[in-house]
Amino acid sequence: MANSANNKFPKIGLGTYKIAGDTGVIIIKQAIQLGYRMFDTAFVYENEHIIGQAIREAISEGTVSREELTVISKLGPCHHHPDRVEQGCRLSLLRLGLDYIDLYLLHTPVALKYRSDDELKPLDSDGKVELDDELSPLDTWLALEKCVQKGLVRMIGVSNFNRSQLEQILNGGNIRPTVNQVECSLKFHQKELRDYCSNEGIKCMAFTPLGKPKANEMENSFLNLDELQVIAKKYGKTSAQIALRYLVDLNVIPIPKSTNEARLKQNLEALNFELQKEDMHKLDHLVEQKRLMTLNWLTHSKHYPF
Ligand code: A2P
């Protein structure tokens, strides 16, 4: 089975969910100035045009070259049918205004009915999202492989896949998924799935690595835990930097989101130190393990992964 390409990644990327508008362009360009080289978007985020504009401007202003960047996008769940995969991929390329995507992910193992390119969440008469459940993730994967062969994308991978779904791809596909992008943080550190991915040479990329803290509810965030703050103080870092560094030291690639320049910088600086083993062990057990992102609108699918 082939690997999809030279699969070297920056150690941290920027999540862009909800980044929008002209301020979105400014944020992405600030991030490039600060040293971010990997950006994660998706067809369903409806912001590929913003990410693409910022990247194209930064390239034409000479801040960075295309080859230095790793651009990640994801196939929308309504484009899973093998006859629609290339269409979905070409739409993302058009919106990004780029010639190729570095890493293209199957956003979820669950397929939705296609109605039009703009209808992202088709509903049935019961108000549930309308599934295309006869499509297996492997059917879609085999069509994604063709996007690599056509040079539209450099690498392919998956997101929100469980172990048995990864096994199906490894058994039936021709190209090994480069990445499984999943929720991973102090709050849900995914030890079993991480170990499986690591044994199979699949990189684990972490969305929601900070546990999605909300500025007005910081008391509910694990970043606020006294024990975490004690460790942060020991290293002269913030809790967020410890939470990110924990993932980096587990060989996981975090993609934290931020729209604030100081926090963008702070998060990238999680690369400038290492955690001692004893603190890694403490962090393994610090936070009660609970998934935050349950994809609960997809539970009626036989491919629901959790
Ligand atoms: P902001 O955009 O104001 O920086 P996650 O990536 O886990 O989903 O978390 C995203 C949230 O975390 C955003 O609301 C972001 O807010 C906040 N955030 C990002 N970096 C930090 C940080 N270093 N410290 C505290 N909150 C942060």
Side-chain angles (χ1 to χ4, degrees):
M1 190 178 209
N3 280 319
S4 52
N6 162 24
N7 55 5
K8 283 211 151 184
F9 291 95
K11 289 193 159 141
I12 284 188
L14 184 69
T16 70
Y17 179 55
K18 289 210 167 148
I19 283 185
D22 291 344
T23 42
V25 176
I26 294 168
I27 292 159
I28 301 296
K29 287 177 74 177
Q30 268 173 353
I32 295 174
Q33 286 280 1
L34 289 168
Y36 282 84
R37 293 293 177 262
M38 182 160 69
F39 296 89
D40 175 79
T41 178
F43 183 76
V44 298
Y45 297 173
E46 297 183 283
N47 66 3
E48 289 169 305
H49 58 297
I50 302 295
I51 314 305
Q53 182 185 335
I55 286 175
R56 284 182 280 109
E57 284 182 16
I59 292 171
S60 70
E61 288 159 12
T63 318
V64 76
S65 68
R66 177 68 186 88
E67 296 68 38
E68 288 174 87
L69 295 174
T70 301
V71 179
I72 306 171
S73 192
K74 313 186 193 82
L75 181 77
C78 294
H79 288 98
H80 274 215
H81 192 283
D83 294 344
R84 295 219 183 267
V85 168
E86 185 174 333
Q87 175 187 342
C89 180
R90 287 191 185 274
L91 266 170
S92 284
L93 282 169
L94 195 69
R95 292 180 183 184
L96 286 162
L98 299 176
D99 297 334
Y100 64 93
I101 293 167
D102 294 273
L103 174 64
Y104 195 48
L105 304 177
L106 191 46
H107 204 153
T108 79
V110 179
L112 303 185
K113 274 266 162 12
Y114 175 88
R115 287 200 189 135
S116 77
D117 287 334
D118 298 317
E119 195 160 345
L120 301 179
K121 265 196 186 176
L123 298 182
D124 63 18
S125 50
D126 298 331
K128 288 186 177 162
V129 284
E130 198 173 358
L131 306 171
D132 204 348
D133 238 14
E134 294 319 307
L135 277 179
S136 81
L138 179 61
D139 298 332
T140 309
W141 182 259
L142 295 173
L144 269 186
E145 292 181 347
K146 296 196 179 129
C147 296
V148 180
Q149 285 146 13
K150 291 194 175 178
L152 304 177
V153 306
R154 246 174 14 91
M155 299 175 272
I156 49 177
V158 296
S159 180
N160 295 303
F161 270 48
N162 64 30
R163 177 180 170 149
S164 82
Q165 291 166 332
L166 286 169
E167 281 168 353
Q168 283 168 36
I169 303 287
L170 292 174
N171 290 334
N174 308 296
I175 299 179
R176 185 172 282 271
T178 308
V179 160
N180 187 19
Q181 187 186 109
V182 292
E183 176 179 348
C184 187
S185 72
L186 281 176
K187 176 104 190 144
F188 194 60
H189 55 51
Q190 299 260 34
K191 171 131 179 55
E192 277 180 29
L193 190 61
R194 271 194 286 114
D195 286 348
Y196 174 74
C197 286
S198 161
N199 284 335
E200 292 295 341
I202 300 170
K203 287 193 194 303
C204 186
M205 193 172 276
F207 66 75
T208 321
L210 297 170
K212 242 183 160 195
K214 294 202 178 83
N216 54 350
E217 294 174 23
M218 273 316 272
E219 68 279 8
N220 298 329
S221 161
F222 64 68
L223 297 179
N224 230 14
L225 282 178
D226 288 345
E227 297 91 326
L228 182 55
Q229 289 182 353
V230 168
I231 296 177
K233 206 166 172 197
K234 171 173 163 187
Y235 291 86
K237 302 289 171 189
T238 66
S239 313
Q241 287 174 316
I242 301 292
L244 294 173
R245 184 69 221 190
Y246 170 72
L247 296 175
V248 172
D249 285 344
L250 290 177
N251 255 325
V252 171
I253 306 168
I255 46 168
K257 299 186 280 291
S258 181
T259 51
N260 170 283
E261 190 174 6
R263 285 189 286 279
L264 282 170
K265 183 166 184 290
Q266 185 192 122
N267 294 347
L268 204 55
E269 285 170 357
L271 296 179
N272 300 348
F273 71 107
E274 269 176 40
L275 289 164
Q276 291 162 8
K277 276 217 167 68
E278 64 188 62
D279 292 317
M280 288 296 286
H281 291 317
K282 276 189 206 154
L283 291 166
D284 282 340
H285 304 289
L286 194 64
V287 187
E288 187 199 346
Q289 295 300 293
K290 189 164 177 244
R291 189 189 296 279
L292 292 174
M293 309 295 280
T294 57
L295 302 182
N296 57 1
W297 64 95
L298 299 175
T299 50
H300 53 307
S301 167
K302 65 182 177 196
H303 302 294
Y304 179 72
F306 310 138

